Amino acid sequence: MKYITIPIAALFLLTGCDNTQPPATNSLPEVGIVTLVSQPVAVTSQLIGRTAATLSAEVRPQVGGIIQQRLFNEGDTVKAGQKLYQIDPSSYRAAYDEAAAALKQAQSLVQADCQKAQRYAQLVKDDGVSRQDAEDAKATCAQDKASVESKKAALESARINLNWTTVTAPISGRIGISSVTPGALVTAQQETALATIRGLENMYVDLTRTSADLLRLRKQALSSNSNTLSVSLILEDGSAYSEKGRLALTEVAVDESTGSVTLRAVFPNPRQELLPGMFVRAKVDEGIMDDAILAPQQGVTRDAKGNATALVVNAGNKVEQRTVQTGDAYGDKWLVLSGLKAGDKLIVEGTDKVAAGQEVKAEEIQASGGNA
């Protein structure tokens, strides 16, 4: 076997050729950006609240006595004036009859005494009776007439009490559970209601909003449209309520304990799906923000204190950090209240590879919703 001998100098020469490398170049980190644009946005607020009946009346007896009958079924729809309970009327009917008899007696005295006074008035002219007797007869007639008026008032009071033995519905609506049964003793204007009637054709929804949020919305000078101040509901089971409501009023004072303001919306309730006391979530259409900025959520982060921050690429292709104030979410975007403006190049990809002050290579990407 033959071996090929290579000079040692030649090996050193070959090794020197292999270690030759091209000079390294420093490449800029690449980031994906979205150029923000202003656009009209319908501003909505997500609020929570509870339903309440627009009409509600507690049924209480106006006279005392024993309940003889309950004249309705619990849960029924009742009409104003409909009979609900019958209280034993015996003693009230007797009082009415007594008052009626007293009135008749007083009226008969008026007839007799006033005729006597008229006769004495004629006789006194001819000295047939003394002037004193004529004056006494006239005074007796006047007293009898006053007594008649008093007896009429007593009769009317007895009639009212007798009528109150039939307890009627003060309003129309759905009546709830009865707190008494036949045989129960009730008293006039007692603290415990016999039943409660609620009008359910329309419903209130009382919503709460912080006073700071209310001030912010007023400063935005939103323009209005046909849907401004309309309200839609999400029910407790997550389904959407089919009817839309409108804000009726805003409380004129702030709750000192919570710093919140109550808003009241009115909703039609034709199928009586809404019941008093239900917990709901509401979306209120506040108006149109003509020059709104919507920023992709992936471009907005939170620092350790919970403040929202964003990275943008400035005109010198360097990264700037901005403190951002955000509003509600619109799909996958935040409504920006401050910190970003139209034309800013928001970094949405590669934020973990760059830092403020670093020069970068920015590449425009297409954001969902056409915000690129």
Side-chain angles (χ1 to χ4, degrees), residues 89-100 158 162:
S90 303
S91 60
Y92 297 99
R93 185 174 291 113
Y96 176 81
D97 293 341
E98 182 181 1
L162 179 59

Side-chain angles (χ1 to χ4, degrees), residues 226-232 244-247 283-286:
S226 59
N227 291 325
T228 300
L229 302 184
S230 68
V231 187
S232 55
K244 279 213 167 189
R246 293 194 65 81
L247 283 183
K283 184 176 76 171
V284 182
D285 294 319
E286 305 284 359

Side-chain angles (χ1 to χ4, degrees), residues 49 151 154 199 257 263 322 357:
K151 295 300 188 290
S257 60
L263 286 72
R322 302 275 183 85

Side-chain angles (χ1 to χ4, degrees), residues 40-366:
V41 170
V43 178
T44 61
S45 296
Q46 303 286 341
L47 306 173
I48 60 174
R50 286 197 179 274
T51 57
T54 54
L55 288 175
S56 180
E58 293 182 335
V59 180
R60 287 186 171 84
Q62 300 300 306
V63 294
I66 301 296
I67 297 290
Q68 286 185 326
Q69 289 180 289
R70 190 188 76 192
L71 305 172
F72 67 92
N73 293 320
E74 295 169 322
D76 279 354
T77 298
V78 298
K79 299 292 184 182
Q82 179 177 330
K83 296 178 181 179
L84 302 178
Y85 297 92
Q86 181 61 57
I87 298 172
D88 184 2
S90 303
S91 60
Y92 297 99
R93 185 174 291 113
Y96 176 81
D97 293 341
E98 182 181 1
L103 175 60
K104 288 181 180 180
Q105 183 180 13
Q107 289 172 335
S108 64
L109 287 175
V110 166
Q111 185 176 5
D113 289 342
C114 289
Q115 286 178 352
K116 181 180 178 180
Q118 289 175 359
R119 289 196 305 272
Y120 277 23
Q122 294 296 326
L123 290 173
V124 75
K125 296 178 182 178
D126 301 326
D127 294 327
V129 295
S130 68
R131 185 172 297 278
Q132 182 64 49
D133 289 341
E135 292 293 335
D136 290 345
K138 182 179 178 181
T140 300
C141 175
Q143 290 175 355
D144 289 345
K145 288 181 178 180
S147 178
V148 166
E149 295 303 317
S150 175
K151 295 300 188 290
K152 283 181 178 180
L155 179 63
E156 179 64 13
S157 179
R159 183 191 67 78
I160 291 173
N161 287 336
L162 179 59
N163 288 342
W164 273 343
T165 60
T166 301
V167 181
T168 59
I171 62 171
S172 298
R174 290 277 297 277
I175 192 165
I177 297 173
S178 174
S179 65
V180 296
T181 60
L185 174 65
V186 296
T187 57
Q189 300 176 358
Q190 64 184 33
E191 184 176 347
T192 303
L194 304 182
T196 300
I197 302 173
R198 297 177 176 87
L200 302 181
E201 291 300 318
N202 294 290
M203 292 291 290
Y204 289 138
V205 176
D206 291 333
L207 308 169
T208 55
R209 160 178 285 157
T210 65
S211 56
D213 189 29
L214 187 62
L215 289 172
R216 175 179 61 79
L217 285 169
R218 288 178 174 174
K219 289 178 180 178
Q220 288 175 355
L222 304 178
S223 58
S224 62
N225 62 4
S226 59
N227 291 325
T228 300
L229 302 184
S230 68
V231 187
S232 55
L233 290 184
I234 302 297
L235 303 179
E236 290 175 303
D237 62 356
S239 63
Y241 183 57
S242 58
E243 303 287 339
K244 279 213 167 189
R246 293 194 65 81
L247 283 183
L249 62 90
T250 300
E251 182 56 87
V252 296
V254 178
D255 188 320
E256 295 180 2
S257 60
T258 62
S260 63
V261 179
T262 299
L263 286 72
R264 170 163 283 182
V266 181
F267 280 81
N269 192 28
R271 292 173 294 280
Q272 298 188 359
E273 294 177 66
L274 299 179
L275 298 176
M278 292 177 66
F279 174 83
V280 293
R281 288 182 290 121
K283 184 176 76 171
V284 182
D285 294 319
E286 305 284 359
I288 303 296
M289 184 181 291
D290 295 322
D291 298 316
I293 301 295
L294 293 179
Q297 291 182 356
Q298 65 196 89
V300 179
T301 58
R302 301 277 174 179
D303 60 19
K305 296 182 179 180
N307 298 317
T309 60
L311 297 178
V312 299
V313 178
N314 63 19
N317 288 327
K318 290 187 177 181
V319 177
E320 287 184 8
Q321 185 175 23
R322 302 275 183 85
T323 299
V324 180
Q325 183 182 2
T326 59
D328 293 328
Y330 290 78
D332 62 348
K333 297 179 177 62
W334 289 115
L335 174 63
V336 177
L337 304 179
S338 65
L340 296 173
K341 62 184 184 300
D344 282 343
K345 297 178 180 180
L346 177 67
I347 300 177
V348 295
E349 292 182 0
T351 54
D352 56 337
K353 300 184 299 183
V354 296
Q358 186 176 359
E359 188 174 355
V360 296
K361 179 181 179 182
E363 181 179 351
E364 188 84 20
I365 64 172
Q366 184 70 26

